[in-house]
Amino acid sequence: MSVKTISKNVLVLHSTQQMFELVDTVENYPQFLPWCSCADVLKREDNVLEAVLHMDYMKVKQSFGTRNHNTPPTEIRMDLLTGPFKQLSGTWRFTSLGDLGCKVDFHLQYEFAGSLLSALIAPVFNRIAESLVDAFIQEADRRYG
């Protein structure tokens, strides 16, 4: 399996603070991410968050954990803690556009560990990763108007 990279840049009508809080509050993910059945916060202290997301999508059930290093309200850097990956890392960046809103830059790199389980999960996770930014923008629009 090879490394997969996803990069998205989007302009939104919401502030950096609003977008940062939406992405940082993993406890709320099951409310608006259809593939996320549960989110467990393992640790939140200073600007570090460790959490496990439980995926239940298209009959595939799996979980993965990340350690997020936060620089409020402009950046969240994610690194793999646990899961079916050989590697996973990502960055959310929020750049203020003043009263207009902000620019959201999302970058994710991941590679599955070479196993039968990974072969089953890869297409599902690829679909989830491709639609992730859109799901957050839809939720921001719903919450913040």
Side-chain angles (χ1 to χ4, degrees):
M1 302 220 150
S2 61
V3 175
K4 177 101 170 133
T5 300
I6 293 174
S7 290
K8 295 221 175 184
N9 305 319
V10 184
L11 302 178
V12 297
L13 299 173
H14 312 293
S15 71
T16 56
Q17 186 67 41
Q18 288 171 322
M19 293 308 295
F20 179 90
E21 287 175 5
L22 183 62
V23 175
D24 183 49
T25 311
V26 298
E27 304 90 323
N28 293 336
Y29 286 11
Q31 296 171 18
F32 67 92
L33 295 176
W35 54 266
C36 185
S37 60
C38 181
D40 299 319
V41 173
L42 306 176
K43 178 170 95 173
R44 186 187 285 275
E45 56 187 48
D46 298 323
N47 286 326
V48 175
L49 166 69
E50 292 182 0
V52 175
L53 300 181
H54 300 272
M55 187 171 81
D56 185 353
Y57 188 66
M58 296 176 64
K59 299 185 180 165
V60 174
K61 293 184 181 199
Q62 186 62 40
S63 63
F64 63 97
T66 62
R67 177 179 294 119
N68 298 355
H69 300 275
N70 297 341
T71 308
T74 57
E75 185 179 75
I76 295 173
R77 283 183 299 112
M78 302 173 289
D79 293 304
L80 179 66
L81 273 178
T82 60
F85 300 95
K86 186 188 238 179
Q87 68 117 348
L88 177 136
S89 62
T91 308
W92 290 90
R93 281 196 186 87
F94 311 103
T95 306
S96 177
L97 301 173
D99 293 341
L100 298 175
C102 75
K103 179 180 171 193
V104 177
D105 290 300
F106 176 68
H107 185 77
L108 182 68
Q109 269 195 320
Y110 58 96
E111 181 179 7
F112 286 97
S115 69
L116 180 59
L117 176 65
S118 298
L120 292 172
I121 295 168
V124 173
F125 190 82
N126 292 345
R127 182 179 292 178
I128 288 169
E130 289 286 348
S131 65
L132 194 62
V133 173
D134 293 337
F136 277 94
I137 292 168
Q138 286 173 1
E139 180 63 10
D141 290 347
R142 189 188 70 74
R143 281 186 191 199
Y144 308 127

